[in-house]
Amino acid sequence: MQRELITYPDQRLMAEAVAARTLLTINDVLCDPDRRRVDLAVTGGTDGTAILSAMADSPLLDSVDWHRVHVWWSDERFVPADSDERNDRGAMAALLNRLIASGAMDAAQIHPMPADTRSSREAANASGQETAQVLMDAASHYQMELLHELGQDAAMDIMLFGLGPDGHVASLFPDRREVLIDDPELLVVGLDGSPKPPARRLTMTIPFIRRTSYVWVCGSRQAKAQAMDATFHASCDPHAPASWLDATRQLLWIGDRASTVQARH
Ligand SMILES: O=C1O[C@H](COP(=O)(O)O)[C@@H](O)[C@H](O)[C@H]1O
């Protein structure tokens, strides 16, 4: 799919524009009379959370029939459910708690990735093999949930990604083997030893992400400029994980002036 680069003046306007784009696209998808629901995958990090906060403040928020929207995560930090490091905690605080509290959404429409239920002592004392098994079980649990909800051809409608300064998206980090997974049956995997803490994470895979209709890679500020340039202009570079992304309807890199200045030249 052809990629497009969109530049907004600054981070705030970028977040507001992506928020509006998300809300309008949810409405567009739901206009199809054959459509029962929309599946949206969100992310954590600075830009991901700023976009969700902007959705909460958007005048378009109430135009969406939230009872037909399901929310998933493209990646999660594998830590206890009450840890502030979890991506879902930020998303709940920024937007989702409000939608549940107002009755616009039911908690069953929110699909957080599994948390580490071990005590900190158990987790610290576990062997590498035990931890690998725990991660594999958690990943397959989420994959089962995806297949249960969406069937064998499970796919997201919209995926919002926050681009890391190293070119990572979700928990797909440069030169890690997760980036190279090409098994279409593997939708979610676990990883230990992430270069960005915390070490243990769960992530959706490239083959699964590529089945998504709308994929938007978002990164603002100068800190993301190099990653924007490297990932927008490359294709399937293991050192630039976002360069592997694709979509079936729309593939966008979205930034502000500071983050896209290099990518535009
Ligand atoms: O660790 C993560 O980082 C990325 C990007 O974070 P940022 O703070 O540099 O914007 C995030 O999108 C991802 O979901 C998260 O797990």
Side-chain angles (χ1 to χ4, degrees), residues 31-91:
C31 275
D32 179 342
D34 296 331
R35 263 318 180 109
R36 271 187 313 118
R37 61 191 268 176
V38 164
D39 289 90
L40 165 71
V42 300
T43 186
T46 45
D47 292 307
T49 309
I51 291 163
L52 296 178
S53 293
M55 280 167 72
D57 293 338
S58 171
L60 293 166
L61 185 74
D62 296 333
S63 69
V64 169
D65 180 358
W66 288 102
H67 285 296
R68 296 166 72 195
V69 179
H70 285 249
V71 178
W72 304 82
W73 274 263
S74 57
D75 80 308
E76 186 55 273
R77 291 96 184 263
F78 192 66
V79 289
D82 61 359
S83 166
D84 284 338
E85 289 191 290
R86 282 187 66 87
N87 288 334
D88 59 16
R89 295 260 296 177

Short mmCIF file of all heavy atoms in Angstrom, two decimals, residues 31-91:
data_model
loop_
_atom_site.label_atom_id
_atom_site.label_comp_id
_atom_site.label_asym_id
_atom_site.label_seq_id
_atom_site.Cartn_x
_atom_site.Cartn_y
_atom_site.Cartn_z
N CYS A 31 -20.99 3.11 9.07
CA CYS A 31 -22.05 3.46 8.10
C CYS A 31 -22.40 2.27 7.21
O CYS A 31 -23.49 2.22 6.64
CB CYS A 31 -21.56 4.58 7.17
SG CYS A 31 -21.81 6.16 7.88
N ASP A 32 -21.46 1.35 7.06
CA ASP A 32 -21.71 0.17 6.23
C ASP A 32 -22.84 -0.64 6.89
O ASP A 32 -22.69 -1.08 8.04
CB ASP A 32 -20.41 -0.64 6.15
CG ASP A 32 -20.57 -1.91 5.33
OD1 ASP A 32 -21.71 -2.34 5.11
OD2 ASP A 32 -19.53 -2.48 4.95
N PRO A 33 -23.94 -0.83 6.18
CA PRO A 33 -25.06 -1.53 6.82
C PRO A 33 -24.74 -2.96 7.25
O PRO A 33 -25.42 -3.53 8.11
CB PRO A 33 -26.16 -1.51 5.75
CG PRO A 33 -25.52 -1.07 4.48
CD PRO A 33 -24.23 -0.41 4.81
N ASP A 34 -23.69 -3.55 6.66
CA ASP A 34 -23.32 -4.92 7.05
C ASP A 34 -22.43 -4.96 8.29
O ASP A 34 -22.05 -6.02 8.76
CB ASP A 34 -22.56 -5.61 5.90
CG ASP A 34 -23.45 -5.79 4.69
OD1 ASP A 34 -24.68 -5.90 4.89
OD2 ASP A 34 -22.93 -5.77 3.56
N ARG A 35 -22.07 -3.78 8.80
CA ARG A 35 -21.14 -3.70 9.91
C ARG A 35 -21.84 -3.74 11.26
O ARG A 35 -22.67 -2.91 11.55
CB ARG A 35 -20.37 -2.39 9.83
CG ARG A 35 -19.04 -2.48 9.19
CD ARG A 35 -18.35 -3.71 9.67
NE ARG A 35 -17.08 -3.77 9.03
CZ ARG A 35 -15.93 -3.56 9.67
NH1 ARG A 35 -15.90 -3.30 10.95
NH2 ARG A 35 -14.81 -3.64 9.02
N ARG A 36 -21.42 -4.66 12.11
CA ARG A 36 -21.95 -4.72 13.48
C ARG A 36 -21.07 -3.89 14.41
O ARG A 36 -21.54 -3.32 15.37
CB ARG A 36 -21.89 -6.16 13.98
CG ARG A 36 -23.09 -7.02 13.69
CD ARG A 36 -22.98 -8.37 14.40
NE ARG A 36 -21.69 -8.99 14.25
CZ ARG A 36 -20.86 -9.28 15.26
NH1 ARG A 36 -21.20 -9.00 16.49
NH2 ARG A 36 -19.69 -9.86 15.03
N ARG A 37 -19.75 -3.88 14.15
CA ARG A 37 -18.82 -3.31 15.12
C ARG A 37 -17.54 -2.78 14.45
O ARG A 37 -17.26 -3.12 13.29
CB ARG A 37 -18.43 -4.38 16.14
CG ARG A 37 -17.73 -5.57 15.50
CD ARG A 37 -17.59 -6.71 16.47
NE ARG A 37 -16.31 -6.65 17.19
CZ ARG A 37 -15.98 -7.50 18.17
NH1 ARG A 37 -16.83 -8.43 18.56
NH2 ARG A 37 -14.81 -7.40 18.76
N VAL A 38 -16.80 -2.00 15.21
CA VAL A 38 -15.47 -1.54 14.78
C VAL A 38 -14.46 -2.00 15.83
O VAL A 38 -14.74 -1.92 17.04
CB VAL A 38 -15.43 0.00 14.68
CG1 VAL A 38 -14.01 0.51 14.61
CG2 VAL A 38 -16.16 0.46 13.46
N ASP A 39 -13.31 -2.48 15.38
CA ASP A 39 -12.25 -2.89 16.30
C ASP A 39 -11.05 -1.95 16.15
O ASP A 39 -10.48 -1.83 15.06
CB ASP A 39 -11.86 -4.34 16.04
CG ASP A 39 -12.99 -5.26 16.51
OD1 ASP A 39 -13.90 -5.56 15.71
OD2 ASP A 39 -12.97 -5.61 17.70
N LEU A 40 -10.73 -1.30 17.24
CA LEU A 40 -9.70 -0.26 17.27
C LEU A 40 -8.57 -0.73 18.19
O LEU A 40 -8.84 -1.10 19.33
CB LEU A 40 -10.32 1.02 17.82
CG LEU A 40 -9.38 2.14 18.27
CD1 LEU A 40 -8.71 2.80 17.07
CD2 LEU A 40 -10.16 3.20 19.06
N ALA A 41 -7.32 -0.72 17.69
CA ALA A 41 -6.19 -1.06 18.56
C ALA A 41 -5.45 0.22 18.91
O ALA A 41 -5.07 0.99 18.01
CB ALA A 41 -5.25 -2.05 17.87
N VAL A 42 -5.26 0.44 20.20
CA VAL A 42 -4.57 1.64 20.67
C VAL A 42 -3.21 1.25 21.22
O VAL A 42 -2.84 0.07 21.25
CB VAL A 42 -5.42 2.40 21.71
CG1 VAL A 42 -6.75 2.82 21.10
CG2 VAL A 42 -5.65 1.57 22.97
N THR A 43 -2.47 2.25 21.64
CA THR A 43 -1.10 2.03 22.08
C THR A 43 -0.81 2.92 23.28
O THR A 43 -1.68 3.67 23.72
CB THR A 43 -0.15 2.33 20.89
OG1 THR A 43 1.17 1.99 21.24
CG2 THR A 43 -0.19 3.80 20.50
N GLY A 44 0.40 2.83 23.80
CA GLY A 44 0.77 3.70 24.93
C GLY A 44 1.73 4.77 24.46
O GLY A 44 1.71 5.15 23.29
N GLY A 45 2.56 5.25 25.37
CA GLY A 45 3.57 6.25 25.01
C GLY A 45 2.99 7.65 24.95
O GLY A 45 1.78 7.86 25.11
N THR A 46 3.87 8.61 24.69
CA THR A 46 3.47 10.02 24.76
C THR A 46 2.43 10.36 23.69
O THR A 46 1.39 10.94 24.00
CB THR A 46 4.71 10.92 24.56
OG1 THR A 46 5.48 10.41 23.47
CG2 THR A 46 5.57 10.96 25.79
N ASP A 47 2.72 10.03 22.44
CA ASP A 47 1.78 10.41 21.37
C ASP A 47 0.49 9.59 21.46
O ASP A 47 -0.60 10.14 21.28
CB ASP A 47 2.45 10.25 20.00
CG ASP A 47 3.56 11.26 19.80
OD1 ASP A 47 3.29 12.46 19.98
OD2 ASP A 47 4.70 10.86 19.52
N GLY A 48 0.62 8.29 21.72
CA GLY A 48 -0.57 7.44 21.81
C GLY A 48 -1.53 7.94 22.87
O GLY A 48 -2.75 8.03 22.65
N THR A 49 -1.00 8.31 24.02
CA THR A 49 -1.86 8.76 25.12
C THR A 49 -2.40 10.16 24.84
O THR A 49 -3.56 10.46 25.16
CB THR A 49 -1.08 8.71 26.46
OG1 THR A 49 -0.50 7.40 26.57
CG2 THR A 49 -1.99 8.93 27.65
N ALA A 50 -1.59 11.02 24.21
CA ALA A 50 -2.07 12.38 23.87
C ALA A 50 -3.24 12.29 22.89
O ALA A 50 -4.21 13.07 22.98
CB ALA A 50 -0.93 13.20 23.26
N ILE A 51 -3.20 11.34 21.97
CA ILE A 51 -4.30 11.19 21.00
C ILE A 51 -5.58 10.75 21.72
O ILE A 51 -6.67 11.26 21.43
CB ILE A 51 -3.89 10.19 19.89
CG1 ILE A 51 -2.78 10.79 19.02
CG2 ILE A 51 -5.10 9.78 19.04
CD1 ILE A 51 -2.03 9.79 18.16
N LEU A 52 -5.45 9.83 22.66
CA LEU A 52 -6.65 9.38 23.39
C LEU A 52 -7.23 10.51 24.24
O LEU A 52 -8.46 10.66 24.32
CB LEU A 52 -6.32 8.15 24.25
CG LEU A 52 -5.89 6.91 23.45
CD1 LEU A 52 -5.53 5.77 24.39
CD2 LEU A 52 -6.98 6.46 22.48
N SER A 53 -6.37 11.31 24.84
CA SER A 53 -6.86 12.47 25.61
C SER A 53 -7.57 13.44 24.69
O SER A 53 -8.62 14.01 25.05
CB SER A 53 -5.71 13.22 26.28
OG SER A 53 -5.13 12.42 27.26
N ALA A 54 -7.03 13.64 23.49
CA ALA A 54 -7.67 14.56 22.54
C ALA A 54 -9.01 13.99 22.07
O ALA A 54 -9.95 14.75 21.81
CB ALA A 54 -6.74 14.80 21.35
N MET A 55 -9.12 12.67 21.98
CA MET A 55 -10.42 12.08 21.64
C MET A 55 -11.44 12.40 22.73
O MET A 55 -12.60 12.73 22.45
CB MET A 55 -10.29 10.56 21.45
CG MET A 55 -9.73 10.17 20.09
SD MET A 55 -9.23 8.44 19.98
CE MET A 55 -10.80 7.61 19.96
N ALA A 56 -11.00 12.29 23.99
CA ALA A 56 -11.91 12.58 25.12
C ALA A 56 -12.42 14.01 25.07
O ALA A 56 -13.57 14.30 25.43
CB ALA A 56 -11.20 12.31 26.44
N ASP A 57 -11.58 14.93 24.57
CA ASP A 57 -11.95 16.35 24.54
C ASP A 57 -12.58 16.76 23.21
O ASP A 57 -12.96 17.93 23.04
CB ASP A 57 -10.69 17.22 24.75
CG ASP A 57 -10.13 17.05 26.14
OD1 ASP A 57 -10.90 16.64 27.04
OD2 ASP A 57 -8.93 17.32 26.34
N SER A 58 -12.66 15.85 22.26
CA SER A 58 -13.12 16.23 20.92
C SER A 58 -14.64 16.45 20.87
O SER A 58 -15.41 15.68 21.46
CB SER A 58 -12.76 15.11 19.92
OG SER A 58 -13.37 15.36 18.68
N PRO A 59 -15.07 17.48 20.11
CA PRO A 59 -16.52 17.67 19.94
C PRO A 59 -17.16 16.50 19.19
O PRO A 59 -18.38 16.36 19.20
CB PRO A 59 -16.62 18.97 19.14
CG PRO A 59 -15.26 19.24 18.61
CD PRO A 59 -14.27 18.51 19.48
N LEU A 60 -16.33 15.66 18.56
CA LEU A 60 -16.86 14.51 17.80
C LEU A 60 -17.07 13.28 18.69
O LEU A 60 -17.60 12.26 18.22
CB LEU A 60 -15.89 14.14 16.67
CG LEU A 60 -15.76 15.17 15.55
CD1 LEU A 60 -14.53 14.87 14.68
CD2 LEU A 60 -17.01 15.20 14.70
N LEU A 61 -16.63 13.36 19.95
CA LEU A 61 -16.68 12.16 20.79
C LEU A 61 -18.08 11.53 20.82
O LEU A 61 -18.23 10.32 20.68
CB LEU A 61 -16.24 12.50 22.23
CG LEU A 61 -16.15 11.30 23.16
CD1 LEU A 61 -14.92 10.45 22.85
CD2 LEU A 61 -16.12 11.73 24.62
N ASP A 62 -19.09 12.36 21.00
CA ASP A 62 -20.44 11.83 21.16
C ASP A 62 -21.11 11.46 19.83
O ASP A 62 -22.24 10.98 19.83
CB ASP A 62 -21.32 12.83 21.92
CG ASP A 62 -20.80 13.03 23.34
OD1 ASP A 62 -20.17 12.08 23.86
OD2 ASP A 62 -21.01 14.11 23.91
N SER A 63 -20.41 11.71 18.71
CA SER A 63 -20.99 11.32 17.42
C SER A 63 -20.83 9.81 17.19
O SER A 63 -21.47 9.23 16.32
CB SER A 63 -20.30 12.07 16.26
OG SER A 63 -18.96 11.62 16.11
N VAL A 64 -19.98 9.17 18.01
CA VAL A 64 -19.70 7.73 17.82
C VAL A 64 -20.69 6.89 18.63
O VAL A 64 -20.98 7.19 19.78
CB VAL A 64 -18.24 7.43 18.25
CG1 VAL A 64 -17.99 5.93 18.33
CG2 VAL A 64 -17.25 8.09 17.30
N ASP A 65 -21.15 5.82 18.00
CA ASP A 65 -21.96 4.84 18.73
C ASP A 65 -20.99 3.87 19.42
O ASP A 65 -20.62 2.83 18.88
CB ASP A 65 -22.88 4.09 17.74
CG ASP A 65 -23.73 3.06 18.46
OD1 ASP A 65 -23.59 2.90 19.69
OD2 ASP A 65 -24.54 2.40 17.78
N TRP A 66 -20.55 4.25 20.62
CA TRP A 66 -19.50 3.51 21.31
C TRP A 66 -19.92 2.09 21.66
O TRP A 66 -19.06 1.22 21.91
CB TRP A 66 -19.05 4.27 22.57
CG TRP A 66 -18.24 5.49 22.19
CD1 TRP A 66 -18.68 6.78 22.18
CD2 TRP A 66 -16.88 5.51 21.74
NE1 TRP A 66 -17.67 7.61 21.74
CE2 TRP A 66 -16.56 6.86 21.47
CE3 TRP A 66 -15.91 4.54 21.53
CZ2 TRP A 66 -15.30 7.25 21.01
CZ3 TRP A 66 -14.66 4.92 21.07
CH2 TRP A 66 -14.36 6.26 20.82
N HIS A 67 -21.22 1.81 21.69
CA HIS A 67 -21.65 0.44 21.99
C HIS A 67 -21.23 -0.54 20.90
O HIS A 67 -21.29 -1.75 21.10
CB HIS A 67 -23.17 0.38 22.18
CG HIS A 67 -23.59 0.96 23.50
ND1 HIS A 67 -23.21 0.41 24.69
CD2 HIS A 67 -24.33 2.05 23.79
CE1 HIS A 67 -23.70 1.14 25.68
NE2 HIS A 67 -24.37 2.14 25.16
N ARG A 68 -20.81 0.00 19.74
CA ARG A 68 -20.38 -0.88 18.64
C ARG A 68 -18.87 -0.85 18.42
O ARG A 68 -18.38 -1.30 17.40
CB ARG A 68 -21.12 -0.45 17.36
CG ARG A 68 -22.63 -0.64 17.49
CD ARG A 68 -23.36 0.08 16.38
NE ARG A 68 -23.19 -0.57 15.11
CZ ARG A 68 -23.48 0.00 13.93
NH1 ARG A 68 -23.93 1.25 13.89
NH2 ARG A 68 -23.32 -0.66 12.81
N VAL A 69 -18.15 -0.30 19.41
CA VAL A 69 -16.69 -0.19 19.27
C VAL A 69 -16.00 -1.11 20.29
O VAL A 69 -16.38 -1.13 21.46
CB VAL A 69 -16.22 1.27 19.50
CG1 VAL A 69 -14.70 1.37 19.37
CG2 VAL A 69 -16.92 2.21 18.52
N HIS A 70 -15.01 -1.86 19.82
CA HIS A 70 -14.19 -2.68 20.72
C HIS A 70 -12.77 -2.15 20.69
O HIS A 70 -12.25 -1.80 19.64
CB HIS A 70 -14.21 -4.15 20.29
CG HIS A 70 -15.49 -4.83 20.63
ND1 HIS A 70 -15.60 -5.82 21.60
CD2 HIS A 70 -16.75 -4.64 20.15
CE1 HIS A 70 -16.86 -6.20 21.69
NE2 HIS A 70 -17.58 -5.51 20.82
N VAL A 71 -12.16 -2.09 21.87
CA VAL A 71 -10.80 -1.53 21.98
C VAL A 71 -9.81 -2.62 22.41
O VAL A 71 -10.07 -3.37 23.36
CB VAL A 71 -10.79 -0.35 22.99
CG1 VAL A 71 -9.38 0.20 23.15
CG2 VAL A 71 -11.74 0.74 22.54
N TRP A 72 -8.70 -2.67 21.68
CA TRP A 72 -7.63 -3.65 21.91
C TRP A 72 -6.32 -2.88 22.07
O TRP A 72 -6.25 -1.69 21.79
CB TRP A 72 -7.51 -4.59 20.71
CG TRP A 72 -8.77 -5.31 20.34
CD1 TRP A 72 -9.82 -4.83 19.60
CD2 TRP A 72 -9.14 -6.64 20.70
NE1 TRP A 72 -10.81 -5.78 19.47
CE2 TRP A 72 -10.41 -6.91 20.15
CE3 TRP A 72 -8.51 -7.65 21.44
CZ2 TRP A 72 -11.06 -8.14 20.30
CZ3 TRP A 72 -9.15 -8.87 21.59
CH2 TRP A 72 -10.42 -9.10 21.03
N TRP A 73 -5.25 -3.60 22.43
CA TRP A 73 -3.93 -2.98 22.52
C TRP A 73 -2.97 -3.70 21.56
O TRP A 73 -2.95 -4.94 21.50
CB TRP A 73 -3.38 -3.05 23.95
CG TRP A 73 -3.87 -1.89 24.75
CD1 TRP A 73 -3.21 -0.71 24.98
CD2 TRP A 73 -5.17 -1.73 25.36
NE1 TRP A 73 -4.01 0.15 25.70
CE2 TRP A 73 -5.21 -0.46 25.94
CE3 TRP A 73 -6.30 -2.55 25.47
CZ2 TRP A 73 -6.33 0.02 26.63
CZ3 TRP A 73 -7.41 -2.08 26.14
CH2 TRP A 73 -7.42 -0.81 26.71
N SER A 74 -2.18 -2.91 20.83
CA SER A 74 -1.20 -3.53 19.92
C SER A 74 0.00 -4.05 20.71
O SER A 74 0.71 -4.94 20.24
CB SER A 74 -0.73 -2.55 18.86
OG SER A 74 -0.18 -1.40 19.47
N ASP A 75 0.22 -3.51 21.89
CA ASP A 75 1.27 -4.07 22.75
C ASP A 75 1.01 -3.67 24.19
O ASP A 75 0.24 -2.75 24.47
CB ASP A 75 2.67 -3.62 22.32
CG ASP A 75 3.02 -2.22 22.81
OD1 ASP A 75 2.20 -1.29 22.58
OD2 ASP A 75 4.09 -2.05 23.41
N GLU A 76 1.67 -4.40 25.07
CA GLU A 76 1.51 -4.10 26.49
C GLU A 76 2.78 -4.49 27.24
O GLU A 76 3.50 -5.41 26.84
CB GLU A 76 0.30 -4.87 27.05
CG GLU A 76 -0.09 -4.54 28.46
CD GLU A 76 -0.33 -3.04 28.70
OE1 GLU A 76 0.68 -2.34 29.01
OE2 GLU A 76 -1.48 -2.58 28.61
N ARG A 77 3.03 -3.75 28.30
CA ARG A 77 4.16 -4.09 29.17
C ARG A 77 3.67 -5.21 30.10
O ARG A 77 2.63 -5.04 30.75
CB ARG A 77 4.60 -2.88 29.96
CG ARG A 77 5.27 -1.79 29.08
CD ARG A 77 4.31 -0.71 28.67
NE ARG A 77 4.90 0.29 27.78
CZ ARG A 77 5.38 1.47 28.21
NH1 ARG A 77 5.36 1.76 29.49
NH2 ARG A 77 5.89 2.33 27.35
N PHE A 78 4.40 -6.33 30.18
CA PHE A 78 3.93 -7.48 30.95
C PHE A 78 4.35 -7.32 32.41
O PHE A 78 5.36 -7.85 32.87
CB PHE A 78 4.48 -8.78 30.36
CG PHE A 78 3.82 -10.01 30.91
CD1 PHE A 78 2.48 -10.27 30.67
CD2 PHE A 78 4.53 -10.92 31.68
CE1 PHE A 78 1.85 -11.40 31.18
CE2 PHE A 78 3.93 -12.05 32.20
CZ PHE A 78 2.59 -12.28 31.95
N VAL A 79 3.56 -6.52 33.11
CA VAL A 79 3.78 -6.19 34.52
C VAL A 79 2.43 -6.35 35.21
O VAL A 79 1.41 -6.56 34.53
CB VAL A 79 4.32 -4.73 34.65
CG1 VAL A 79 5.75 -4.62 34.16
CG2 VAL A 79 3.42 -3.74 33.91
N PRO A 80 2.37 -6.26 36.55
CA PRO A 80 1.07 -6.42 37.21
C PRO A 80 0.02 -5.41 36.72
O PRO A 80 0.36 -4.30 36.27
CB PRO A 80 1.41 -6.20 38.69
CG PRO A 80 2.84 -6.62 38.79
CD PRO A 80 3.48 -6.18 37.50
N ALA A 81 -1.24 -5.81 36.81
CA ALA A 81 -2.35 -5.01 36.26
C ALA A 81 -2.42 -3.61 36.87
O ALA A 81 -2.90 -2.68 36.21
CB ALA A 81 -3.66 -5.75 36.49
N ASP A 82 -1.95 -3.45 38.12
CA ASP A 82 -2.07 -2.13 38.74
C ASP A 82 -0.81 -1.28 38.56
O ASP A 82 -0.69 -0.21 39.16
CB ASP A 82 -2.41 -2.28 40.24
CG ASP A 82 -1.32 -3.05 40.99
OD1 ASP A 82 -0.33 -3.50 40.36
OD2 ASP A 82 -1.47 -3.21 42.22
N SER A 83 0.11 -1.74 37.71
CA SER A 83 1.36 -0.97 37.51
C SER A 83 1.10 0.23 36.59
O SER A 83 0.45 0.11 35.56
CB SER A 83 2.42 -1.87 36.89
OG SER A 83 3.48 -1.08 36.40
N ASP A 84 1.69 1.37 36.97
CA ASP A 84 1.56 2.57 36.13
C ASP A 84 2.33 2.43 34.82
O ASP A 84 2.18 3.26 33.93
CB ASP A 84 2.06 3.80 36.90
CG ASP A 84 1.03 4.24 37.93
OD1 ASP A 84 -0.16 3.89 37.77
OD2 ASP A 84 1.42 4.90 38.90
N GLU A 85 3.15 1.39 34.72
CA GLU A 85 3.90 1.18 33.47
C GLU A 85 3.01 0.61 32.37
O GLU A 85 3.39 0.63 31.21
CB GLU A 85 5.07 0.22 33.71
CG GLU A 85 6.18 0.83 34.52
CD GLU A 85 7.42 -0.06 34.50
OE1 GLU A 85 7.38 -1.13 35.12
OE2 GLU A 85 8.40 0.35 33.88
N ARG A 86 1.85 0.10 32.73
CA ARG A 86 1.00 -0.53 31.70
C ARG A 86 0.41 0.51 30.75
O ARG A 86 -0.04 1.58 31.17
CB ARG A 86 -0.12 -1.34 32.35
CG ARG A 86 0.38 -2.69 32.87
CD ARG A 86 -0.74 -3.54 33.35
NE ARG A 86 -1.67 -3.97 32.32
CZ ARG A 86 -1.54 -5.06 31.57
NH1 ARG A 86 -0.48 -5.83 31.70
NH2 ARG A 86 -2.47 -5.38 30.68
N ASN A 87 0.38 0.17 29.48
CA ASN A 87 -0.23 1.05 28.48
C ASN A 87 -1.73 1.21 28.73
O ASN A 87 -2.30 2.27 28.50
CB ASN A 87 0.00 0.50 27.07
CG ASN A 87 1.44 0.64 26.62
OD1 ASN A 87 2.16 1.52 27.08
ND2 ASN A 87 1.87 -0.23 25.71
N ASP A 88 -2.38 0.14 29.18
CA ASP A 88 -3.85 0.23 29.33
C ASP A 88 -4.24 1.20 30.44
O ASP A 88 -5.30 1.83 30.37
CB ASP A 88 -4.50 -1.15 29.48
CG ASP A 88 -4.01 -1.96 30.66
OD1 ASP A 88 -3.37 -1.40 31.57
OD2 ASP A 88 -4.27 -3.18 30.67
N ARG A 89 -3.37 1.36 31.46
CA ARG A 89 -3.71 2.30 32.54
C ARG A 89 -3.82 3.73 32.00
O ARG A 89 -4.73 4.47 32.34
CB ARG A 89 -2.64 2.26 33.63
CG ARG A 89 -2.55 0.92 34.34
CD ARG A 89 -3.24 0.88 35.65
NE ARG A 89 -2.64 1.80 36.61
CZ ARG A 89 -3.12 1.99 37.82
NH1 ARG A 89 -4.20 1.35 38.21
NH2 ARG A 89 -2.52 2.83 38.65
N GLY A 90 -2.88 4.09 31.12
CA GLY A 90 -2.90 5.43 30.53
C GLY A 90 -4.13 5.62 29.66
O GLY A 90 -4.77 6.68 29.69
N ALA A 91 -4.47 4.60 28.88
CA ALA A 91 -5.62 4.71 27.97
C ALA A 91 -6.93 4.77 28.75
O ALA A 91 -7.85 5.52 28.39
CB ALA A 91 -5.63 3.52 27.01
#
